[in-house]
Amino acid sequence: MPRAPLPFAFLDGDFIAAADARVSAFDRGFLFGDGVYEVIPVYGGRAFHADHHLARLAHSLEGIELDSPWDDDWWQSRINELISRNGSGDQSLYLQVTRGAEHGRDHRFPADVEPTVFMFSTATPARDAAVDRNGLKAITAEDFRWARCDLKTISLLANVLLRQQAHAAGADEVILHRGGHLTEASVSNAYIVSGGRVVTPPLSAELLPGITRIVTLELCASLGIPVAERALTVDELDAADEVWITSSTREIGPIVSIDGKPVGAGKPGPLYAKLRAAFDDLIASWRSGSAPTV
Ligand code: PDD
């Protein structure tokens, strides 16, 4: 079930009731999907690695040639105010910037149009303990998205269709491949574990540079788990001991079956358990304020 937004939203400079948030039907986000977004997890009222999210937002804005008048301090203060107006605690904060509303419909960039900036947050549901016991199911599919998947754009139709394909097949996620090599999943990054080593595709225009990916690779390093960032084939996925996905909403998730076949022993594996525990410790220290803030 979709979660209702928390009471406050931020729209074009003002904090307003989320229920009252309205944008023009001429907004280019609506007409063209002309915009970018971020999803930032919040633990104990503190935006998790907001610095990384703001750096990726800047990369996305630059990628779509949208000049941004706001610096990181501007974002950080609005993000923090929205979090506190919405009661702090654990939230998932959504942030979107579009090229704005013009009267008409012209593919070319309009002159002198203010971008639309929208943020809202939802309460984070309690983590589902059944996932650690039973894992998640995935299917595989050809990655038919565009050639700039490193940009976090709101044009998500391909991701929507792929995710729905997984849902219709009774699966939680779809792991994507392009010409036989893995890219990522429809709403997360993908990893395999083979012979005690964690392997994930290297960053490129074919996949989103996930913030949870950064955190996961740092946690692996701190635990002494070897990591390789290299191209992965579908055959390697089939033969993996463990398969994981990561995202800001899922954190880290263990895939136990792919296209109906078990991954490894068909249950969450030992390296997943290690990573999950390390992730939980990191989140706990973030909540208590002992982890470094941005
Ligand atoms: N999705 N790849 C894709 C295609 C994604 O949509 C996401 C996140 C990720 C993981 O990125 P991160 O670790 O920074 O969340 C990878 C978000 C959560 C979403 O669209 O809701």
Side-chain angles (χ1 to χ4, degrees), residues 42-271:
V42 176
Y43 298 112
R46 304 167 77 218
F48 189 61
H49 288 291
D51 53 345
H52 289 323
H53 284 277
L54 292 178
R56 185 172 62 187
L57 176 66
H59 172 73
S60 299
L61 287 167
E62 197 186 323
I64 69 161
E65 298 175 40
L66 202 163
D67 285 338
S68 152
W70 318 283
D71 62 14
D72 282 7
D73 287 347
W74 186 91
W75 281 114
Q76 195 72 67
S77 74
R78 270 70 186 173
I79 287 169
N80 289 342
E81 179 159 355
L82 183 66
I83 291 169
S84 89
R85 282 187 186 233
N86 278 336
S88 295
D90 290 0
Q91 304 174 20
S92 177
L93 186 143
Y94 178 88
L95 171 174
Q96 172 171 320
V97 182
T98 76
R99 211 179 300 277
E102 56 184 328
H103 288 282
R105 183 177 174 279
D106 185 336
H107 287 64
R108 295 170 300 177
F109 299 170
D112 304 326
V113 162
E114 284 289 305
T116 303
V117 177
F118 177 50
M119 291 198 272
F120 71 95
S121 64
T122 50
T124 309
R127 205 153 62 74
D128 183 359
V131 171
D132 287 347
R133 284 196 307 275
N134 307 327
L136 302 165
K137 293 182 189 154
I139 58 168
T140 55
E142 181 69 31
D143 191 345
F144 58 81
R145 299 172 303 160
W146 74 328
R148 288 306 306 275
C149 294
D150 58 315
L151 305 177
K152 200 161 173 65
T153 79
I154 60 170
S155 313
L156 286 172
L157 187 54
N159 304 63
V160 166
L161 292 174
L162 288 160
R163 182 85 203 277
Q164 182 61 26
Q165 196 180 317
H167 179 67
D172 303 285
E173 191 35 315
V174 46
I175 298 177
L176 305 172
H177 49 82
R178 230 181 247 271
H181 64 274
L182 299 189
T183 55
E184 55 176 341
S186 71
V187 284
S188 45
N189 291 111
Y191 309 73
I192 71 160
V193 176
S194 176
R197 179 181 293 271
V198 176
V199 190
T200 193
L203 295 183
S204 75
E206 291 187 342
L207 57 128
L208 190 76
I211 307 309
T212 325
R213 182 183 182 279
I214 299 174
V215 173
T216 300
L217 298 186
E218 281 173 1
L219 288 177
C220 286
S222 72
L223 293 168
I225 300 169
V227 171
E229 294 176 67
R230 62 162 176 82
L232 274 172
T233 64
V234 176
D235 289 346
E236 286 179 286
L237 181 70
D238 286 344
D241 303 324
E242 299 184 29
V243 174
W244 308 336
I245 52 170
T246 67
S247 78
S248 292
T249 31
R250 177 77 72 184
E251 296 161 358
I252 173 164
I255 302 291
V256 298
S257 90
I258 298 179
D259 295 331
K261 289 175 287 187
V263 174
K267 54 187 183 33
L271 277 195

